[in-house]
Amino acid sequence: MTPPTDAARLPVLLLDDHRVFTDLLAMSLGMQPDLACVAVAHSAREGLARAAAVDFAVAVIDLQLPDGGGLDLIPLLRALRPAARIVVLTAHPRPDLAERALGAGAVAFLGKDAPLTRILDAVRHADAANPVVEAGARPGGVELTHRELDVLRELGQGRDATRIAAALGISVHTARDHIKALMAKLGVHTQLDAVVSAERRGLITLGARY
């Protein structure tokens, strides 16, 4: 049997700052008869440069990169290659992140600990009509609004109400109201306790941009 040519294989772009992970995934893709890794990038800037230079049908991206967030990259990648499909692989498979990723245009959202067969299946088949999502149950049993989650993430970055208001384009009064509301839902009395509780509940990831 004649081996498939590169033109017959689905071209995949990998974007992740963990080099061992990308090396292994690139090797796994190369072993598939219908898939091929055409480029690897380890930062947001490098990823956009690679995306502009190569043709790819699928981009597999991480959420946390040294110079940016994967969520922000999704629409930029789709603008460069409108027909391309975006698969998110993350160490933090939270339901709120899955929702945001799909909202930005991703077609799949999986944890990095997902079975390789599941990842390859998403690369091959996931699309807007049939998204592949594997995320844990909504963490912590606390239902926060999207804006409260935005404010909580800002608190996790060490910002006060004034800086949160500026970052989110809301008034300081509104920012303080959101802080009070989310503290009440978390059952805490200080902003520091809110951040600690949110981290423990899996609502935010300290050191991340989400």
Side-chain angles (χ1 to χ4, degrees):
M1 180 181 295
T2 303
T5 64
D6 286 344
R9 304 170 79 181
L10 193 69
V12 182
L13 166 68
L14 300 183
L15 178 48
D16 194 303
D17 65 332
H18 293 89
R19 294 176 184 271
V20 173
F21 180 81
T22 53
D23 288 348
L24 291 173
L25 186 53
M27 182 172 62
S28 297
L29 290 169
M31 294 173 65
Q32 306 304 309
D34 56 338
L35 303 174
C37 177
V38 294
V40 176
H42 301 292
S43 69
R45 178 176 295 182
E46 184 184 7
L48 290 174
R50 298 282 191 197
V54 302
D55 288 326
F56 63 94
V58 182
V60 179
I61 70 172
D62 191 8
L63 289 183
Q64 189 165 1
L65 298 165
D67 58 345
L71 288 172
D72 297 326
L73 279 181
I74 294 172
L76 299 178
L77 291 171
R78 297 192 71 237
L80 286 170
R81 295 287 187 271
R85 296 177 290 114
I86 311 298
V87 173
V88 173
L89 290 183
T90 176
H92 308 287
R94 301 191 332 240
D96 61 306
L97 295 178
E99 184 177 344
R100 293 170 65 193
L102 294 182
V107 299
F109 183 96
L110 301 97
K112 286 186 174 180
D113 58 352
L116 178 61
T117 54
R118 184 65 165 157
I119 295 172
L120 296 178
D121 184 65
V123 169
R124 290 184 175 105
H125 304 300
D127 58 28
N130 300 283
V132 174
V133 178
E134 288 190 0
R138 184 164 290 278
V142 175
E143 292 292 335
L144 301 179
T145 67
H146 288 296
R147 182 56 84 188
E148 287 167 353
L149 282 169
D150 289 340
V151 171
L152 185 56
R153 283 189 286 268
E154 294 294 325
L155 285 176
Q157 296 293 319
R159 298 187 175 98
D160 60 14
T162 300
R163 295 171 63 195
I164 291 172
L168 300 180
I170 59 179
S171 71
V172 175
H173 177 76
T174 298
R176 287 172 178 160
D177 282 346
H178 286 309
I179 292 171
K180 290 177 182 177
L182 67 87
M183 285 171 57
K185 290 181 179 180
L186 291 170
V188 298
H189 302 289
T190 70
Q191 294 179 26
L192 176 59
D193 286 340
V195 171
V196 172
S197 176
E199 167 76 4
R200 288 175 178 171
R201 292 170 181 265
L203 292 167
I204 61 173
T205 304
L206 294 182
R209 297 178 176 86
Y210 46 81

